[in-house]
């Protein structure tokens, strides 16, 4: 079930479900957002209004956002409402609660009783962390501000039932982060948001994308940016349900629980019943930016599949296992080489120089690790290898012959020429060393301190390839030399940190 914590039954003491629109003589209604008198940051939702057995007078049952109450909505053997947590509910006297003032009252207090030019022309409104909950109030608000285009309702727990709201037709940017919104409710809002371009739905505990039966290919025709960061989406199949959004340019999925990515037409991936035959459009045909940071992606096939997205050029993959060398992940240069069209990676631009250097290093890395000459197998694990090898004119390394006996022990060694280039290091002759390919960049720095007697100098290392226009910085101390494209004969420049 999507967002189980959002289905809070409102119960009468006899167990009957109460109406969320019920208003009482105390001035509070079930589902209303309130705060404690004297503490506007202590916010909760009214879940019950009435008598409590054994206690005199009327009470307001509140489910507190911060979870700091006294019970779960029951007292003794009687349940009055169902709270979110075991101790997030409490009963409070009405005099100790405040419902705030309406937005229109706030406008009149600021601008006076008459509508002003400034009010009529207001285009952007931030209502983060107020006591809004009813969509009818949002309708009234938008009618009062006909020029409104950007509306931020973050941290307002909105009502589950959403009516048609024609006054939202002019909204271009809507922020509903941490509002308790499910995707079912997004579908209900779709008809009202005819001009929407950006929709932000962070922190809503969304797990599944449930499209209406006639939704595929319909609605959200102008939506360019969809932000689903910090939800609980695990399956990429859920994301594929959004591929019909023909105007979508940016999809933000940071901090979810995704483990893999694949393009719907990628024949190498199986397990999805997704089909686009009914839409006659190419999936994600306009998507240019895909943010996937802080997920659980751990396989190279997911990286390669990003090449199949027609226009994708801005990608974030940071804080995934696949890019963490300590977890068997790969370095930035490998990502750049495998992603043919990427222009921005993890927030930084990929220059032409970086692309060329990365592709050359990647080809040499693959060549140094190849266990087979089977081109079909190589193509399966390294789809761009043959293409890049030909593009940069990299010849096969001549294999050693006649290796036997003790010589086999040196077959895993790489020959490295070390050159000091730092201004304060003085003139030092280059050294050629044979090192195991498992030596890390950090260990090599320590060895260079010893080889060249460079105590007290913090070092940085650069790999210099004949085909590359400029040296490439070795910026990860934990990665082995064999995993950064260092081949059997490589020059490494030793410099000092500035």
């Amino acid at each position: 079930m999507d967002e189980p914590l959002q289905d809070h039954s409102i119960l009468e003491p006899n167990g009957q479900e109460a109406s969320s629109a019920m208003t009482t003589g105390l001035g509070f209604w079930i589902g209303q957002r309130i705060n404690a008198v004297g503490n506007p940051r202590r916010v909760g939702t009214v879940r019950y209004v009435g008598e409590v057995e054994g206690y005199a007078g009327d009470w307001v049952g509140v489910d507190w956002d911060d979870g700091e109450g006294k019970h779960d909505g029951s007292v003794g053997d009687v349940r009055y409402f169902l709270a979110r947590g075991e101790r997030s509910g409490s009963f409070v006297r009405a005099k100790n609660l405040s419902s705030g003032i309406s937005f229109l009252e706030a406008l009149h207090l600021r601008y006076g009783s008459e509508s002003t030019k400034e009010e009529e022309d207001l285009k952007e409104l931030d209502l983060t962390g107020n006591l809004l909950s009813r969509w009818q109030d949002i309708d009234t608000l938008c009618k009062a501000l006909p020029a409104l285009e950007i509306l931020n309702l973050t941290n307002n727990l909105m009502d589950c039932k959403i009516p048609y709201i024609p006054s939202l037709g002019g909204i271009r940017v809507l922020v509903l982060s941490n509002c308790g919104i499910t995707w079912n409710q997004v579908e209900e809002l779709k008809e009202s948001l005819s001009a929407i371009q950006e929709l932000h739905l962070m922190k809503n505990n969304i797990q599944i994308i449930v499209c209406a039966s006639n939704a595929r290919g319909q609605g959200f025709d102008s939506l360019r940016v969809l932000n689903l960061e910090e939800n609980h989406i695990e399956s990429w199949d859920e994301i594929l349900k959004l591929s019909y959004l023909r105007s979508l340019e940016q999809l933000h999925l940071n901090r979810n629980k995704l483990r893999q990515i694949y393009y719907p037409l990628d024949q190498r991936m199986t397990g999805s019943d997704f089909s686009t035959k009914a839409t006659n459009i190419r999936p994600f045909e306009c998507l240019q930016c895909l943010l996937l940071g802080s997920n659980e992606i751990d396989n190279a096939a997911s990286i390669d599949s990003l090449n199949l997205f027609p226009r994708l050029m801005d990608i974030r993959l940071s804080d995934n296992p696949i890019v963490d060398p300590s977890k068997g992940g790969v370095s930035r240069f490998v990502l750049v080489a495998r992603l043919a069209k990427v222009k921005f990676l993890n927030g930084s631009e990929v220059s032409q120089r970086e692309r060329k250097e990365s592709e050359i290093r990647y080809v040499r890395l693959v060549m140094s690790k190849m266990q087979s000459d089977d081109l079909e197998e190589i193509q399966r694990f390294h789809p761009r290898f043959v293409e890049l090898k030909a593009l940069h004119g990299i010849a096969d390394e001549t294999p050693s012959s006649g290796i036997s006996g003790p010589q086999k022990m040196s077959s895993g060694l790489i020959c490295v020429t070390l050159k000091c280039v730092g201004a304060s290091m003085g003139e030092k002759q280059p050294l050629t060393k044979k090192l195991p390919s498992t030596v890390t960049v950090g260990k090599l720095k320590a060895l260079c301190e010893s080889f060249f007697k460079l105590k007290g100098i913090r070092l940085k290392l650069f790999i210099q390839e004949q085909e590359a226009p400029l040296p490439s910085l070795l910026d990860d101390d934990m990665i082995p030399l064999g995993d950064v494209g260092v081949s059997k004969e490589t020059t490494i420049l030793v410099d000092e940190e500035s």
Side-chain angles (χ1 to χ4, degrees):
M1 293 293 292
D2 186 19
E3 303 182 34
L5 291 180
Q6 295 204 4
D7 184 13
H8 302 294
S9 299
I10 312 302
L11 306 175
E12 298 284 12
N14 60 7
Q16 296 296 318
E17 187 171 341
S19 168
S20 62
M22 182 181 70
T23 304
T24 72
L26 297 180
F28 292 98
W29 46 271
I30 292 175
Q32 185 177 12
R33 298 286 283 165
I34 49 81
N35 63 254
V37 169
N39 186 1
R41 293 189 177 183
R42 182 162 166 75
V43 179
T45 303
V46 175
R47 295 300 184 192
Y48 172 79
V49 181
E51 296 180 353
V52 176
E53 186 176 328
Y55 297 86
D58 290 324
W59 296 84
V60 181
V62 180
D63 194 2
W64 298 103
D65 289 4
D66 59 12
E68 296 182 3
K70 295 182 178 180
H71 49 70
D72 65 354
S74 61
V75 176
D77 296 328
V78 182
R79 174 168 295 285
Y80 295 88
F81 64 93
L82 181 61
R84 286 173 173 257
E86 293 182 357
R87 300 185 65 82
S88 65
S90 65
F91 288 102
V92 186
R93 294 294 190 186
K95 66 179 182 179
N96 295 322
L97 299 174
S98 172
S99 59
I101 62 174
S102 72
F103 174 74
L104 293 181
E105 289 174 319
L107 277 181
H108 290 154
L109 285 174
R110 178 173 180 180
Y111 297 115
S113 59
E114 298 297 328
S115 176
T116 66
K117 181 72 164 59
E118 183 176 354
E119 178 182 334
E120 292 175 355
D121 292 342
L122 188 65
K123 291 187 176 182
E124 182 174 351
L125 183 61
D126 187 346
L127 293 173
T128 297
N130 281 278
L131 301 179
L132 294 165
S133 60
R134 297 191 299 186
W135 289 100
Q136 293 90 334
D137 294 335
I138 303 302
D139 185 26
T140 302
L141 181 155
C142 292
K143 287 177 179 176
L145 301 172
L148 193 64
E149 296 181 354
I150 302 173
L151 178 59
N152 188 344
L153 296 174
T154 294
N155 295 340
N156 290 282
L157 188 59
M158 302 305 298
D159 191 3
C160 295
K161 296 180 180 179
I162 303 176
Y164 174 58
I165 310 173
S167 60
L168 289 177
I171 298 296
R172 293 188 300 103
V173 179
L174 180 60
V175 184
L176 292 170
S177 297
N178 197 28
C179 288
I181 295 291
T182 68
W183 194 265
N184 282 326
Q185 292 169 283
V186 173
E187 290 290 326
E188 292 178 12
L189 275 171
K190 182 188 295 185
E191 187 177 357
S192 302
L193 297 170
S194 57
I196 194 71
Q197 295 181 19
E198 293 188 23
L199 182 59
H200 298 265
L201 301 168
M202 295 176 62
K203 298 182 179 180
N204 281 302
N205 196 34
I206 293 173
Q207 300 174 34
I208 60 176
I209 309 295
V210 183
C211 297
S213 59
N214 62 344
R216 182 160 291 175
Q218 299 180 16
F220 285 147
D221 290 339
S222 58
L223 187 65
R224 296 187 299 103
V225 179
L226 178 59
N227 186 345
L228 288 167
E229 295 188 4
E230 297 187 64
N231 281 285
H232 288 81
I233 303 172
E234 297 183 10
S235 172
W236 185 252
D237 287 350
E238 300 302 321
I239 303 304
L240 292 183
K241 297 174 185 177
L242 303 171
S243 64
Y244 69 86
L245 298 173
R246 61 185 64 202
S247 298
L248 189 64
E249 297 175 0
Q250 297 183 31
L251 181 55
H252 300 194
L253 297 170
N254 292 326
R255 295 179 291 282
N256 276 277
K257 297 182 178 181
L258 295 165
R259 292 183 176 274
Q260 66 172 344
I261 315 157
Y262 53 90
Y263 192 70
L265 305 181
D266 188 351
Q267 298 301 315
R268 294 173 299 165
M269 308 300 294
T270 59
S272 172
D273 60 357
F274 180 83
S275 172
T276 56
K277 292 181 180 179
T279 62
N280 295 319
I281 62 171
R282 193 172 183 185
F284 296 113
E285 62 180 358
C286 290
L287 189 66
Q288 299 178 32
C289 174
L290 180 58
L291 305 185
L292 292 160
S294 300
N295 276 277
E296 300 173 12
I297 300 164
D298 61 359
N299 59 91
S302 290
I303 305 302
D304 297 332
S305 72
L306 293 172
N307 289 316
L308 300 174
F309 289 70
R311 302 185 184 181
L312 190 58
M313 61 180 181
D314 186 350
I315 301 169
R316 182 176 293 276
L317 291 162
S318 50
D319 297 319
N320 278 278
I322 189 60
V323 297
D324 185 349
S326 68
K327 297 180 180 179
V330 299
S331 297
R332 177 181 169 91
F333 82 90
V334 174
L335 292 177
V336 172
R338 296 187 85 122
L339 294 169
K341 296 178 287 188
V342 67
K343 294 183 179 180
F344 294 90
L345 179 61
N346 295 335
S348 63
E349 184 177 4
V350 178
S351 65
Q352 291 184 350
R353 189 190 82 183
E354 182 186 12
R355 173 160 295 285
K356 181 175 181 180
E357 293 173 353
S358 297
E359 291 175 350
I360 291 172
R361 289 177 65 187
Y362 171 69
V363 170
R364 291 198 173 280
L365 172 64
V366 175
M367 290 172 64
S368 69
K369 290 181 173 293
M370 283 194 309
Q371 302 295 319
S372 168
D373 293 331
D374 186 342
L375 289 180
E376 184 176 338
E377 181 180 351
I378 294 171
Q379 188 70 15
R380 184 166 65 253
F381 291 105
H382 303 280
R384 299 199 70 215
F385 172 74
V386 174
E387 167 199 350
L388 295 177
K389 186 168 177 286
L391 175 65
H392 297 291
I394 300 174
D396 292 324
E397 293 183 355
T398 304
S400 301
S401 59
I403 298 178
S404 61
Q407 288 182 310
K408 289 184 179 180
M409 296 178 61
S410 64
S411 62
L413 301 179
I414 51 179
C415 187
V416 177
T417 298
L418 303 170
K419 289 185 178 180
C420 285
V421 296
S424 65
M425 295 177 180
E427 293 187 8
K428 299 183 182 295
Q429 293 297 316
L431 295 177
T432 299
K433 298 288 184 180
K434 289 186 176 181
L435 303 171
S437 60
T438 56
V439 169
T440 65
V441 172
K443 177 63 175 177
L444 181 56
K445 288 180 181 179
L447 290 173
C448 287
E449 290 181 14
S450 175
F451 292 155
F452 294 110
K453 298 180 172 56
L454 299 173
K455 293 183 178 180
I457 299 177
R458 296 186 63 182
L459 303 179
K460 57 183 178 181
L461 306 179
F462 296 83
I463 181 173
Q464 188 174 52
E465 302 274 7
Q466 290 184 352
E467 299 90 344
L470 291 172
S472 300
L473 176 65
L474 300 177
D475 56 359
D476 189 340
D477 284 356
M478 301 301 296
I479 195 167
L481 295 180
D483 288 350
V484 294
V486 175
S487 55
K488 293 186 177 180
E489 294 187 4
T490 301
T491 298
I492 292 181
L493 306 181
V494 183
D495 201 352
E496 56 188 320
E497 288 194 3
S498 54

